Amino acid sequence: MQKVYFDSAATTKVRPEVITKMVSVLEEDFGNPSSTHGFGRSAKNHIEQARKNIANYLGVRASEIIFTSGGTEADNLVLHSAVRDLGVKHIITSKIEHHAVLHTVQEIESFTGVEVSYVNITEKGAIDYTHLETLLNSSQEKALVSLMHVNNEVGTLLDIDRVGDLCKTHDALFHSDMVQSIGHLEVKLNELNVDFTAVSAHKFHGPKGVGFAYIRKNSGLKPLIFGGEQERGYRAGTESVHNIAGMDEALRLAYENLDEEKAYVLDLKKYFIDVLKKDIPGVKFNASCCDHDYSTYTLINVCLPVSQEKAGILLFHLDINGIACSKGSACQSGSSKGSHVLTEILSPEDLEKPSVRFSFSKYNTKDEIDYVVDVLKKFMNE
């Protein structure tokens, strides 16, 4: 049985160079980075060099990069602190955001009374920018807009320049979860009107359990985690030196090889779409994942013409044939609930059919695509 990993939007395979770097740090630079002796200074050097490198990739100041345990913590840090420290009384977001944002916003709303507005979504999974402008125009209080750069389930790209300009015009803060874009797209934060971002290393062939928040200089944000002065006072706790070094190495390799790997993965995506259209009559592609100008090159979300009887065992069938993919985001795959993203954009008829997300990386091949489509064909014809 062939084994195929088409779930890179959930997590990516760690690059061998990253593993080598992390092992070296674990073996040789194990000191506490807050210690003043040589062992500590050596560990601290890895952290600060990584901070400088990451800031350089994104065109920002090193002091604006704050290391966290991942994207979820970064989202929580920004959203909670913006309400507590920056006078935000109105949060504008969408119902297709990652739960790291949605659940955090709902929690904030429940205990602070902050007004929450949800911008309309088109059937293509895009933000209704006219409605966003209406919400900003009508806001009587300090507002924060939180919209993700790349949707993790259907791949829709946000017009981040347009949103940033709207926020600036209306004196609103702008937070964007960039977990699915940093390391995959060329992003220069200094050229965008973005105040805060969240990033996670394991989405671009780095280790799990580490990420960072970009917090614009002089934002006024204060920490959520107390106990020490690490991370310029934003986040107490001993830093995970080997993970930070691994993230730095992963992001370096991602951007050094971006053009080549992007072209390769986009070719895989186009090939997968063509083969599915040819071999699976009635297949539909959710949102705008076939429109390469409005969707990330790293994934497709497919609605399959399968009976309700078969729908419940589709993922199980793929799994027993060695194929890894997702019904929705990995963060909700253990839930019996359907995708909150697809619920917002699909018709009731299409919601009755199974939708599957296939996401790709440099480690995939066209032979793997042929195998997956062959397994799907046999399943549907049984």
Side-chain angles (χ1 to χ4, degrees):
M1 178 182 67
Q2 192 168 345
K3 289 207 169 192
V4 177
Y5 186 76
F6 276 162
D7 205 17
S8 286
T11 196
T12 53
K13 178 179 179 179
V14 181
R15 292 183 191 259
E17 302 95 326
V18 172
I19 295 171
T20 299
K21 176 73 172 182
M22 293 173 67
V23 170
S24 172
V25 172
L26 282 167
E27 290 180 341
E28 299 173 15
D29 299 296
F30 53 84
N32 188 317
S34 295
S35 299
T36 57
H37 49 60
F39 291 92
R41 292 195 305 273
S42 180
K44 184 70 169 179
N45 181 64
H46 283 292
I47 294 173
E48 296 312 319
Q49 188 59 56
R51 198 187 313 276
K52 290 176 184 176
N53 292 341
I54 291 169
N56 184 58
Y57 304 143
L58 303 179
V60 299
R61 299 177 177 90
S63 60
E64 296 174 311
I65 301 299
I66 305 301
F67 294 126
T68 67
S69 63
T72 296
E73 184 190 332
D75 285 330
N76 273 263
L77 168 61
V78 168
L79 294 169
H80 280 285
S81 298
V83 171
R84 184 192 62 190
D85 305 324
L86 306 183
V88 169
K89 302 293 184 183
H90 185 195
I91 296 176
I92 300 172
T93 187
S94 85
K95 291 185 178 180
I96 64 170
E97 299 302 299
H98 192 281
H99 281 146
V101 167
L102 281 179
H103 290 173
T104 303
V105 168
Q106 290 162 6
E107 179 70 9
I108 290 171
E109 182 182 26
S110 71
F111 72 78
T112 67
V114 163
E115 179 186 1
V116 177
S117 299
Y118 296 95
V119 65
N120 293 337
I121 303 297
T122 72
E123 63 181 10
K124 291 294 188 181
I127 298 301
D128 182 335
Y129 298 100
T130 301
H131 185 228
L132 174 60
E133 187 169 11
T134 299
L135 290 173
L136 285 166
N137 276 327
S138 62
S139 183
Q140 302 300 310
E141 304 281 359
K142 181 69 175 181
L144 178 144
V145 173
S146 181
L147 296 170
M148 67 201 313
H149 193 189
V150 175
N151 186 274
N152 60 304
E153 290 198 34
V154 293
T156 309
L157 289 169
L158 181 74
D159 188 340
I160 201 160
D161 292 289
R162 185 174 180 180
V163 174
D165 290 346
L166 281 172
C167 290
K168 184 176 182 180
T169 298
H170 292 85
D171 195 29
L173 296 168
F174 182 23
H175 161 255
S176 184
D177 184 312
M178 292 188 169
V179 165
Q180 294 289 342
S181 60
I182 297 294
H184 299 289
L185 300 174
E186 189 70 44
V187 177
K188 290 295 183 183
L189 291 173
N190 60 315
E191 299 173 2
L192 302 172
N193 290 316
V194 177
D195 297 287
F196 314 106
T197 67
V199 181
S200 192
H202 73 103
K203 305 297 187 178
F204 48 83
H205 304 291
K208 299 171 184 64
V210 67
F212 62 88
Y214 160 71
I215 300 175
R216 190 178 292 281
K217 186 179 180 183
N218 298 324
S219 70
L221 231 58
K222 296 178 182 177
L224 282 184
I225 300 175
F226 298 88
E229 294 303 315
Q230 293 91 346
E231 294 307 297
R232 287 153 172 77
Y234 278 108
R235 187 192 191 262
T238 303
E239 299 95 336
S240 183
V241 182
H242 63 291
N243 274 329
I244 291 170
M247 175 168 62
D248 177 27
E249 182 74 357
L251 200 55
R252 179 184 72 80
L253 291 165
Y255 282 122
E256 282 186 0
N257 298 284
L258 183 62
D259 291 342
E260 178 185 351
E261 291 180 0
K262 179 180 178 180
Y264 177 80
V265 175
L266 178 59
D267 186 55
L268 289 179
K269 175 180 173 177
K270 290 177 177 178
Y271 180 75
F272 204 167
I273 290 170
D274 290 342
V275 175
L276 284 170
K277 286 179 177 178
K278 179 173 67 74
D279 290 351
I280 310 290
V283 68
K284 293 183 179 180
F285 297 89
N286 297 324
S288 56
C289 63
C290 286
D291 190 332
H292 308 305
D293 291 328
Y294 298 97
S295 176
T296 180
Y297 62 94
T298 57
L299 68 87
I300 57 174
N301 196 298
V302 182
C303 182
L304 295 165
V306 175
S307 66
Q308 285 186 313
E309 292 78 14
K310 282 190 170 184
I313 62 169
L314 174 59
L315 284 184
F316 173 73
H317 180 78
L318 291 170
D319 187 34
I320 63 174
N321 281 278
I323 300 165
C325 55
S326 287
K327 178 181 178 183
S329 68
C331 305
Q332 67 177 28
S333 62
S335 171
S336 60
K337 296 179 181 179
S339 161
H340 69 288
V341 174
L342 297 181
T343 298
E344 290 296 317
I345 65 175
L346 294 188
S347 67
E349 178 185 358
D350 284 341
L351 282 171
E352 293 295 321
K353 302 170 186 173
S355 287
V356 181
R357 182 189 69 184
F358 297 100
S359 47
F360 325 108
S361 79
K362 66 185 287 291
Y363 294 108
N364 293 125
T365 67
K366 289 181 179 178
D367 285 343
E368 291 178 331
I369 292 172
D370 291 336
Y371 172 72
V372 170
V373 174
D374 187 55
V375 169
L376 285 172
K377 285 167 59 179
K378 289 178 180 176
F379 174 74
M380 297 175 69
N381 293 329
E382 285 177 353

